[in-house]
Amino acid sequence: MIPIVYATTNPGKLAMVQNIFIHHKLKLHSLADYNLKVDIDEVGSSLEENALLKAEGYLKYLPKETIVIGDDTGVEIDALEGEPGIKVRRWKGYEMQDEEIINYCLERMKDVPKGKRGSQFRTVLAIAQNNQPVKYFDGILHGEILEKPQSLRSEGMPFWPIFYIPKLKMSLGQFHAMPIDFQLQNPTHRELAVLSALPYLRSRCTSPN
C-alpha cells in the first residue's frame, strides 16, 4: 500500500488525524517515521497556498510514491471582516503568545453584542503525489467568540477557550477534553476536511499508478 504522510510537526494535530485514519482502517505516517526534520516557511497568502507549500515541500524528501497531506487552518471572525484569517499567530504583525492573542481578540470585540460574534475555523488540505494533480479539501466549523475566556487552556491553541460551538453547547477547548468517541461522532473543521478527503486518499493509496 502506498504510504500517506501528514505534513505536520505538531503532535496534537497528528494525533487527531491519526484517530480518524485508525477508525477508517487506514495507516497514517508522520514525518518522524522518516526522520524528516525540515522547516517549511508558511509564506502563502491563503490557506490553500500554505497547505500546498507544506505538501510539496515535504514531498521531495520522501519516497517517490508517497502521498503527502499538507494543511493550514485559519480563524475568520465576521465582525472583524474575516480577521485574523491565516495570521492567527502574527495577527499584530509579530509572533504573539497565546494569552496576547486571546486578549487582543476580546479587546477588538468588546463592543460586539451577542448574536453578532459569529466566527468559523476553516481547514484546507492539499494532497500531493508525484505525477498527480494536487487535490484540495476543506472543512468548516461554525461558532462564535465568547465574551470571556474559559479557564481551560491548551498551549498553542489560543482560540480554544474563546471559540464556542453552539450546536454542542461547549467551547472548542471543552470539546477536545471529551472522549475520543465523542470527538469522532462530532467532527470539527480539521476532521471534516480529512473525512472529505478519505475517498480520494483510499483510491490513491491502493492505485498502481
Side-chain angles (χ1 to χ4, degrees), residues 3 11-12 50 64 77-78 88 104 141-142 172 179 183-184 201 203:
N50 279 336
K64 183 179 178 181
I77 300 173
D78 298 343
V88 171
Y104 181 63
L141 176 65
H142 295 284
L172 193 52
Q183 295 184 37
L184 289 171
L201 290 168
S203 71

Side-chain angles (χ1 to χ4, degrees), residues 92-106:
K92 295 173 71 174
Y94 58 84
E95 194 78 9
M96 300 167 69
Q97 300 302 310
D98 289 359
E99 290 301 315
E100 185 179 9
I101 294 170
I102 292 170
N103 293 334
Y104 181 63
C105 179
L106 297 184

